[in-house]
Amino acid sequence: MKCRALLLTVVMLPGCALFQRPFRPEHASKEEAAKLPYPLWLPSEGRVQVPANLAAAIELAMDDMLPRDVKPPRGATPDDVCLHRRDSYDVEAAPLNDEVVLVRFLVKEGACRSEGATATEAATYAVDVRGWRILAVQR
């Protein structure tokens, strides 16, 4: 009987992974949101329009480079912790052709340098914008 219960538990555990909720960003409280000016509008200064293919390619590459569920290892240096933060990177993106977008992640100037020099270029991705897959990564 114990053997069956153990076997059943082992068989069912991988199935639990199927019930994980997809990532959803945290939302502010209604009180905090009420402090914003309404209607929301974008000021002309600093406004950037990012084409849909570029925005989606950047998101796909960032999800590969820094998956949301990966945390820095125990005992990580401050630089390692910094390099696990998405806001530590600037992004350059450009279409290579109609089917491929190149996305380059650069460590933001002044970020992640508490213990010396940190490489500035993290990775360059080639993203297929037809099939939404990563074709190549150069680190």
Side-chain angles (χ1 to χ4, degrees), residues 5-81:
L6 180 61
L7 181 61
L8 183 62
T9 302
V10 169
V11 170
M12 291 181 62
L13 277 177
C16 294
L18 299 175
F19 297 111
Q20 291 181 359
R21 292 179 49 167
F23 172 77
R24 297 284 302 169
E26 180 181 345
H27 286 248
S29 67
K30 290 184 180 193
E31 294 78 23
E32 189 175 355
K35 296 176 185 175
L36 294 171
Y38 283 94
L40 295 175
W41 58 277
L42 298 175
S44 57
E45 186 175 318
R47 184 185 321 175
V48 177
Q49 182 173 353
V50 180
N53 274 355
L54 289 182
I58 290 167
E59 180 182 22
L60 187 71
M62 180 62 84
D63 285 343
D64 183 73
M65 188 177 85
L66 287 176
R68 295 178 190 273
D69 60 342
V70 173
K71 305 291 181 214
R74 282 191 180 152
T77 67
D79 284 344
D80 288 336
V81 172

Side-chain angles (χ1 to χ4, degrees), residues 64-122:
D64 183 73
M65 188 177 85
L66 287 176
R68 295 178 190 273
D69 60 342
V70 173
K71 305 291 181 214
R74 282 191 180 152
T77 67
D79 284 344
D80 288 336
V81 172
C82 178
L83 290 171
H84 275 79
R85 293 175 48 109
R86 289 175 173 232
D87 63 344
S88 294
Y89 297 92
D90 288 331
V91 181
E92 295 177 346
L96 181 63
N97 54 43
D98 288 345
E99 297 179 3
V100 178
V101 170
L102 298 177
V103 179
R104 178 179 296 142
F105 295 103
L106 305 161
V107 178
K108 185 169 47 176
E109 189 168 332
C112 308
R113 289 200 168 85
S114 63
E115 297 180 3
T118 300
T120 56
E121 184 171 340

